[in-house]
Amino acid sequence: MAYWIQAMVLVATFLFPALAESLVRHYKFSVVLKNTTRLCATKPIVTVNGKFPGPTLLAREDDTVIVRVVNHVQYNITIHWHGVRQFRTGWADGPAYITQCPIQPGQSYIYSFTITGQRGTLLWHAHITWLRATVHGAIVILPKRGVPYPFPKPDKEEIIVFGEWWKADVEAVVNQAMQSGLAPNISDSHTINGHPGPFPNCSSQGYTLHVETGKTYMLRIINAAVNDELFFKIAGHNLTIVEVDATYTKPFKTDTLFIAPGQTTNALLTADQTTGKYLIAISPFMDTVVPVDNLTATGALRYKSTVSFSPTALTTIPPQNATPVTNAFIDSLRSLNSKQFPTKVPVKIDHSLFFTVGVGINPCATCVNGSRAVANINNISFVMPTTALLQAHYYNIRGIFTDDFPGNPAIPYNYTGNPPSNLQTMNGTKVYRVAFNSTVQVVLQGTAFLAPESHPIHLHGFNFYAIGKGVGNFDPVNGPKKFNLVDPVERNTIGVPTGGWSAIRFRADNPGVWFLHCHLEVHTTWGLKMAFVVDNGKGPNETILPPPTDLPMC
């Protein structure tokens, strides 16, 4: 009963924001199995509070959020609050064996953090194995009380979460792949708010967005898919992009939205068409030879007073390999860079890093082909420790990791040309150490090992500025001349284009251990990950907080 009273208070706060200053907001996440039917078949899935997608976490900038997670399933679990800065509260970040040991079956853990300097849409998801396939949900961060949006206030807001669905047990899918050394089976469908829409040989339920003529809706769009970058379109309607990854952008209009796993986008939609039904479609982007779930998930935008059985207005989805569409969208993103929301790109750089990202092949005597697919950064496949890195760092426990992660490839080569004959990677639990408040530039260079492929890279603990991107090999002489240091978009997850590179900058003003990894779960599983250690600065405000007393043990 107390939980429902609390939920009603939160809803009231959302509808009547003047009721609240900064609050402490309490949530309880019960991780439970739930029999769920999709694609005309039923299976048990891991959920939070029995919901797929899970419950929305609602807060306001400057609020403190306390979430008690209780694990009632047979799997270990952690929750990551994707994009939340976690100033000095790395213990609440959530990636298993990086900032915490997992919550074991029958155990619980309290995540506590304050929303600082952020407003917009983020997501939360499981951060262990592939459980985030069904364990995910939205984070809605409202502006401070009395602070308006920097765009016309919408009449209503809607949360739209994209996902993937496997008919099989997802943990069995990844376990089979790891044993065989082969790529895991692709998903059977995409979902919009948990529903795939019509499916071959199955009239599956679809998502419906109800609108009224003349009103404007802010769509809080989240890509919680496991492995697929996605296009999003609504027949007959344009979208005005106003925010990505909980940072405001200069508004621009588009009829096609592009979004990678882990990314979020707020878009304004005006219901300015004639009464009727309009197709909503999400479809995959893949501009290389890698297999992908190529099915389109559909829903409908339905105007009020539309008569039953009205025909649905259709739209043309982009080709699967529509690289120009993705480039047009990404290149249109600019930070707001206003007096109230300034852009503070680091100019003087203390650490200039060059990270190659890609996949390779390692020998495996027990695997199907005698080899195993692996992924790497600077030719190092990250080996997950058995003690969380943050604990090892905080308590100075030796033997868990080394701080010699290379800032550049050991042997330079033609990264996007013909790959070297040796595709084998090195294994290691290595981190890159930086001093508090130092500035970091990372050029993320895609490689052509096996096949060039787009990589959405997520950095925990920080936002960064996406200062440049290009095709081919990064040119250290001419590339920086084209960097945007005036109004680059600010993000927490960025795509490294197929056969190309992206450059980011950030200030290391958050002490702790912070994960950097590909947000395609298959690549993270294969080892495309590393971590930054940011040392404490001076005084308590530049020092990581002590660990909570209920921190899970390994």
Side-chain angles (χ1 to χ4, degrees):
M1 178 65 71
Y3 176 78
W4 290 109
I5 293 174
Q6 171 191 307
M8 291 172 67
V9 171
L10 290 173
V11 170
T13 302
F14 182 69
L15 295 175
F16 305 103
L19 295 177
E21 292 282 357
S22 297
L23 297 176
V24 177
R25 303 189 184 243
H26 293 266
Y27 288 87
K28 181 179 178 181
F29 278 19
S30 293
V31 182
V32 295
L33 289 177
K34 175 76 171 181
N35 282 333
T36 305
T37 302
R38 296 291 185 274
L39 309 183
C40 295
T42 301
K43 69 172 185 177
I45 63 172
V46 182
T47 69
V48 167
N49 299 348
K51 297 181 178 181
F52 170 67
T56 296
L57 191 154
L58 175 67
R60 187 180 294 282
E61 184 181 350
D62 289 344
D63 283 352
T64 294
V65 178
I66 297 175
V67 186
R68 182 170 183 256
V69 176
V70 185
N71 185 5
H72 295 289
V73 299
Q74 71 270 34
Y75 305 105
N76 289 342
I77 193 74
T78 69
I79 302 293
H80 170 50
W81 318 97
H82 183 115
V84 174
R85 288 291 314 273
Q86 298 291 357
F87 282 108
R88 303 170 54 230
T89 54
W91 310 105
D93 192 40
Y97 301 105
I98 304 299
T99 60
Q100 69 166 98
C101 298
I103 308 167
Q104 298 177 19
Q107 302 298 309
S108 65
Y109 180 47
I110 295 175
Y111 293 90
S112 180
F113 52 90
T114 298
I115 306 292
T116 304
Q118 294 182 280
R119 76 295 303 167
T121 304
L122 296 170
L123 71 153
W124 60 263
H125 60 77
H127 210 303
I128 186 169
T129 64
W130 284 31
L131 291 178
R132 73 177 174 95
T134 54
V135 180
H136 60 251
I139 301 175
V140 172
I141 306 172
L142 301 175
K144 295 178 184 179
R145 187 169 73 89
V147 177
Y149 294 129
F151 46 82
K153 184 179 179 181
D155 297 293
K156 192 174 180 183
E157 301 182 10
E158 294 285 342
I159 296 169
I160 301 180
V161 182
F162 303 152
E164 288 180 86
W165 182 266
W166 279 261
K167 293 180 180 179
D169 177 81
V170 179
E171 292 299 285
V173 169
V174 65
N175 289 338
Q176 181 183 24
M178 293 304 292
Q179 290 174 8
S180 68
L182 303 175
N185 291 338
I186 59 176
S187 56
D188 294 293
S189 72
H190 299 104
T191 58
I192 305 174
N193 280 1
H195 298 287
F199 187 80
N201 302 317
C202 177
S203 57
S204 298
Q205 179 182 349
Y207 164 73
T208 300
L209 172 63
H210 296 276
V211 300
E212 295 183 44
T213 300
K215 291 191 174 181
T216 297
Y217 299 79
M218 184 162 74
L219 308 182
R220 296 180 178 268
I221 301 166
I222 297 167
N223 188 350
V226 177
N227 290 315
D228 287 351
E229 299 176 296
L230 297 167
F231 294 114
F232 171 69
K233 291 191 73 172
I234 301 178
H237 293 76
N238 285 323
L239 300 168
T240 300
I241 309 303
V242 294
E243 177 243 301
V244 295
D245 291 3
T247 60
Y248 294 133
T249 64
K250 289 183 174 69
F252 70 94
K253 287 190 176 183
T254 181
D255 66 350
T256 304
L257 185 149
F258 172 68
I259 187 167
Q263 292 183 335
T264 59
T265 304
N266 281 6
L268 300 179
L269 164 76
T270 299
D272 56 4
Q273 299 299 303
T274 57
T275 299
K277 287 171 58 181
Y278 296 81
L279 187 75
I280 297 174
I282 63 171
S283 60
F285 166 69
M286 177 58 72
D287 59 353
T288 187
V289 296
V290 176
V292 66
D293 178 354
N294 62 4
L295 292 173
T296 299
T298 60
L301 180 150
R302 185 184 184 99
Y303 280 77
K304 186 178 181 180
S305 302
T306 298
V307 298
S308 300
F309 306 109
S310 295
T312 301
L314 303 181
T315 187
T316 302
I317 63 172
Q320 184 175 300
N321 63 348
T323 308
V325 178
T326 68
N327 283 333
F329 184 86
I330 295 169
D331 292 344
S332 297
L333 291 170
R334 293 286 187 272
S335 64
L336 194 57
N337 194 20
S338 64
K339 184 177 180 180
Q340 187 176 9
F341 302 105
T343 301
K344 300 178 180 179
V345 186
V347 176
K348 178 182 177 295
I349 299 300
D350 299 312
H351 298 267
S352 184
L353 309 178
F354 187 81
F355 286 179
T356 60
V357 295
V359 296
I361 294 289
N362 281 0
C364 173
T366 61
C367 295
V368 172
N369 296 324
S371 61
R372 172 186 300 282
V374 293
N376 65 88
I377 301 177
N378 278 354
N379 206 44
I380 296 173
S381 289
F382 189 86
V383 177
M384 295 295 280
T386 55
T387 297
L389 297 184
L390 184 56
Q391 286 175 290
H393 168 61
Y394 186 86
Y395 292 110
N396 197 27
I397 303 172
R398 300 191 180 279
I400 306 301
F401 66 85
T402 58
D403 58 2
D404 57 347
F405 190 91
N408 292 274
I411 303 175
Y413 59 95
N414 182 1
Y415 307 110
T416 57
N418 292 326
S421 57
N422 180 13
L423 302 182
Q424 188 170 343
T425 68
M426 295 181 290
N427 297 325
T429 308
K430 299 175 182 290
V431 305
Y432 190 91
R433 185 181 295 270
V434 299
F436 180 85
N437 216 36
S438 58
T439 53
V440 183
Q441 174 179 293
V442 186
V443 175
L444 298 157
Q445 174 69 62
T447 63
F449 282 115
L450 296 188
E453 185 177 352
S454 175
H455 298 278
I457 302 295
H458 172 48
L459 175 61
H460 292 227
F462 302 95
N463 282 356
F464 52 74
Y465 291 101
I467 58 174
K469 71 180 183 71
V471 295
N473 297 335
F474 175 71
D475 182 341
V477 175
N478 295 310
K481 296 176 182 178
K482 300 179 181 179
F483 284 173
N484 177 8
L485 304 181
V486 177
D487 62 350
V489 67
E490 187 178 351
R491 308 208 70 145
N492 63 61
T493 304
I494 187 174
V496 179
T498 300
W501 57 270
S502 292
I504 65 173
R505 286 186 183 181
F506 65 96
R507 181 174 295 278
D509 57 358
N510 194 6
V513 178
W514 305 109
F515 210 20
L516 180 139
H517 62 97
C518 184
H519 220 266
L520 303 180
E521 200 63 47
V522 59
H523 291 167
T524 298
T525 301
W526 287 347
L528 206 164
K529 48 196 173 186
M530 58 81 68
F532 287 97
V533 170
V534 180
D535 288 322
N536 288 332
K538 297 178 181 179
N541 290 335
E542 298 178 359
T543 301
I544 188 170
L545 293 170
T549 57
D550 65 339
L551 186 70
M553 303 296 291
C554 286

